[in-house]
Amino acid sequence: MRFSRNFQIRHKLFAVFVLSNILLIVSMWQVFQWSFDRGFVSYATERDRDFLEQMANRTANLYVYYDDWYFLAQESRLEQHWQKQKLENLRDLIPPPSTPNLDLIYPSQYYRQRFLLFNKKKTPIIGHVSFQKAETHPVIVEGNVVGFVGLRSMRDLVQDRTLSFVRQQGEAFLLISAFMLIIAAVLTWPLAQWLSRPISTLRAAAKRLSAGQFDTRIQIRGTDELAELGRDFNHLASTLDHMRDARRKWVADTAHELRTPVAILRGEIEAMQDGIIKVSPDSLASLQQETIHIARLIDDLNQLSMHDMGSLSYQMEDSNLEHLLEQAVSSMLLQLDEADINIQLNNECKSEIHVCGDTDRLHQLFTNLMNNSLKYTNAPGEIKITLKRQNKKAIVLLEDTPPGVSDEDLTKIFDQFFRVENSRNRATGGRGLGLAICTSIIEGHQGSIEAYHAPTGGLGIRVELPLTN
């Protein structure tokens, strides 16, 4: 178990390199053996067949002279007896017997120990190999087969003698391979350590990141997969760092937003208790207004948290986008008239525009956008809403009159609790969550929302929703 835990990636890389080299050596050895058997033996067999025809012709000439195989059998027995005596009397010099007829048949001494002779019934006369296992050629005299000459199989000869040379070459090959394997292992170990170094660095950085050090970054070198992994790690660390800062800011902003109405409530209630403010319908209405403000803030925060957790439900259905806009505008007319702000709804599409969406959420989206313009547009002002079609998307443009926003603030207006530092400020009663909620609703409908500088001098909002028709 301890070995398994300590078996690090550099050890695995080293083992892979070494084992792959061993596998390569074994494969090369097998190929060498197969190549020799297939190449050399096949070549020698074809050569034997060419010589067998010559041997058959020479044997036929002798058969014509003697009209029998006895002369060849007798010479073969003498030769075998001499071989046996030579082995038994190694110290004695025994001259070889005279075998003139056999010497005429052999093309070279190489074939002496391989020569075979069969009669016409395929019975062995010279040699102890069956007819089926030998390479043979018929001996023809006056058109009749009188016997067969043959040679022991080249494969048997190779197995008996030539393979000793092959074994020697194989031993030399294995010795050289072992030497090369040692060299490869010596070179592979530092290579394995070099390859595993980025992973070790990434591992150490991951430990620091898990300990809460979100400013951890690793140095990127190269363009390979490990470098890409390092870039992804740095992006993750940057995202976590940003999320930590965003969480801290969100908690601080939420506490600030809740502290103000609670402080007002507490101050007015203590003033009533001390008799500074009399309990009256007006004072109670002021308390109620602050509680409503707290309730709305809590409701907005709840919607945002539900969206972040993925538990905000949507009842999707086919909806006419123009009708939804008309209903949202109608619900805001009274407030807009009181604020001396005119509103226009223009539909540039000749046909109906249908989207798949939650009608309540889309109504909330458009009323939030109009509420934002209502609170942050100087009177007398104007809000212009334009509905049009572009490719397979429905486009809703909402543009108001001054004051506008700066380029820097334009990219932040959808952040939670963000409010610009001009006349679009907190004195108008905004909580800084309306546009953040709009972003959540748009994401739930697979659409997009962005802000721009409106030609009318104020803020422009562009909403895109996928069409169903």
Side-chain angles (χ1 to χ4, degrees):
M1 292 299 293
R2 178 176 298 179
F3 176 77
S4 177
R5 289 195 298 268
N6 295 334
F7 200 62
Q8 299 176 356
I9 191 168
R10 62 175 178 271
H11 302 133
K12 295 179 181 179
L13 287 172
F14 178 74
V16 168
F17 289 146
V18 172
L19 291 177
S20 62
N21 283 325
I22 293 176
L23 179 61
L24 179 62
I25 291 172
V26 172
S27 301
M28 290 177 63
W29 170 247
Q30 293 296 328
V31 170
F32 171 75
Q33 295 277 35
W34 174 82
S35 176
F36 178 84
D37 183 68
R38 184 179 179 86
F40 176 76
V41 175
S42 298
Y43 163 76
T45 301
E46 291 296 326
R47 186 183 177 193
D48 287 349
R49 290 171 182 171
D50 294 336
F51 281 117
L52 274 174
E53 185 177 357
Q54 299 178 22
M55 295 167 67
N57 293 333
R58 296 171 183 175
T59 305
N61 293 333
L62 291 173
Y63 186 85
V64 171
Y65 183 78
Y66 288 100
D67 195 28
D68 198 350
W69 294 123
Y70 175 79
F71 68 99
L72 290 178
Q74 182 63 24
E75 289 184 6
S76 177
R77 281 195 294 272
L78 291 174
E79 189 174 46
Q80 291 176 4
H81 180 70
W82 173 76
Q83 290 285 352
K84 183 178 179 181
Q85 284 184 327
K86 185 178 180 181
L87 292 174
E88 291 176 353
N89 303 276
L90 296 178
R91 296 179 181 178
D92 299 334
L93 296 177
I94 302 175
S98 177
T99 55
N101 294 305
L102 285 175
D103 293 341
L104 289 174
I105 295 174
Y106 303 140
S108 67
Q109 292 300 315
Y110 168 72
Y111 291 92
R112 179 179 288 274
Q113 295 183 3
R114 296 179 59 204
F115 180 72
L116 303 172
L117 180 64
F118 302 89
N119 62 20
K120 61 182 179 181
K121 295 181 180 180
K122 303 180 180 179
T123 302
I125 297 175
I126 297 176
H128 302 285
V129 179
S130 64
F131 183 85
Q132 291 77 12
K133 295 182 179 180
E135 291 286 342
T136 61
H137 194 282
V139 180
I140 300 175
V141 176
E142 296 180 354
N144 297 319
V145 176
V146 296
F148 298 87
V149 293
L151 292 171
R152 289 178 59 192
S153 172
M154 186 64 191
R155 295 182 184 275
D156 295 338
L157 183 65
V158 167
Q159 291 175 358
D160 290 344
R161 300 191 179 180
T162 311
L163 275 184
S164 62
F165 169 77
V166 177
R167 282 194 296 269
Q168 293 177 358
Q169 298 301 313
E171 290 173 358
F173 173 80
L174 291 176
L175 183 62
I176 296 173
S177 299
F179 178 71
M180 297 302 295
L181 184 62
I182 294 173
I183 295 177
V186 171
L187 296 177
T188 296
W189 178 246
L191 178 62
Q193 288 185 314
W194 176 73
L195 288 176
S196 64
R197 188 176 298 116
I199 300 177
S200 300
T201 302
L202 188 63
R203 178 187 176 190
K207 286 184 176 180
R208 293 196 300 271
L209 189 65
S210 63
Q213 300 178 26
F214 298 127
D215 58 343
T216 301
R217 300 292 185 274
I218 60 177
Q219 187 176 1
I220 306 299
R221 295 176 180 174
T223 58
D224 56 8
E225 290 82 355
L226 290 176
E228 290 295 328
L229 181 60
R231 293 186 183 92
D232 293 339
F233 176 86
N234 286 343
H235 179 70
L236 172 63
S238 177
T239 302
L240 291 175
D241 195 15
H242 175 74
M243 290 178 62
R244 179 185 61 179
D245 293 340
R247 183 188 62 183
R248 290 174 177 174
K249 184 177 182 301
W250 187 85
V251 172
D253 290 342
T254 302
H256 174 73
E257 293 295 327
L258 289 173
R259 186 184 299 113
T260 301
V262 169
I264 295 174
L265 280 174
R266 179 180 178 182
E268 292 187 0
I269 291 174
E270 289 178 352
M272 291 179 185
Q273 290 175 336
D274 295 338
I276 299 174
I277 299 177
K278 294 182 179 180
V279 179
S280 64
D282 292 337
S283 60
L284 293 176
S286 176
L287 296 177
Q288 184 185 25
Q289 187 64 33
E290 293 302 326
T291 56
I292 292 174
H293 180 71
I294 295 175
R296 288 176 178 173
L297 179 59
I298 293 174
D299 183 61
D300 289 345
L301 291 171
N302 181 58
Q303 289 192 44
L304 289 173
S305 63
M306 290 177 65
H307 172 78
D308 291 340
M309 293 186 298
S311 59
L312 187 61
S313 61
Y314 292 90
Q315 303 296 326
M316 296 297 194
E317 59 182 355
D318 186 73
S319 306
N320 188 312
L321 191 56
E322 183 181 12
H323 292 170
L324 287 175
L325 286 170
E326 290 175 348
Q327 293 172 6
V329 170
S330 298
S331 66
M332 295 292 298
L333 282 178
L334 180 59
Q335 300 178 56
L336 293 170
D337 288 341
E338 293 177 351
D340 193 16
I341 295 176
N342 184 39
I343 186 167
Q344 296 181 10
L345 174 59
N346 300 323
N347 186 0
E348 297 182 358
C349 302
K350 298 180 180 179
S351 59
E352 293 184 349
I353 294 183
H354 289 262
V355 296
C356 182
D358 187 316
T359 55
D360 292 334
R361 297 296 180 189
L362 291 176
H363 185 274
Q364 182 184 10
L365 165 70
F366 297 127
T367 53
N368 277 4
L369 293 177
M370 286 184 282
N371 261 312
N372 183 73
S373 295
L374 172 64
K375 295 170 182 175
Y376 302 125
T377 301
N378 295 337
E382 182 181 27
I383 300 175
K384 181 181 179 182
I385 301 176
T386 304
L387 174 62
K388 59 182 180 179
R389 180 198 301 262
Q390 183 176 333
N391 297 328
K392 295 183 179 180
K393 293 183 178 180
I395 308 297
V396 178
L397 303 177
L398 189 146
E399 300 172 341
D400 57 32
T401 51
V405 297
S406 65
D407 292 336
E408 181 182 358
D409 293 339
L410 199 63
T411 61
K412 301 178 181 179
I413 62 173
F414 295 106
D415 294 346
Q416 297 175 14
F417 298 112
F418 178 78
R419 286 182 294 272
V420 296
E421 298 299 330
N422 56 18
S423 55
R424 292 177 175 265
N425 53 41
R426 191 177 183 280
T428 59
R431 298 181 298 276
L433 293 175
L435 293 182
I437 293 174
C438 291
T439 302
S440 300
I441 295 173
I442 285 295
E443 290 177 356
H445 287 77
Q446 286 75 51
S448 63
I449 186 171
E450 62 179 352
Y452 61 95
H453 297 294
T456 54
L459 177 66
I461 302 292
R462 177 187 176 94
V463 175
E464 293 186 4
L465 293 169
L467 291 170
T468 59
N469 58 341

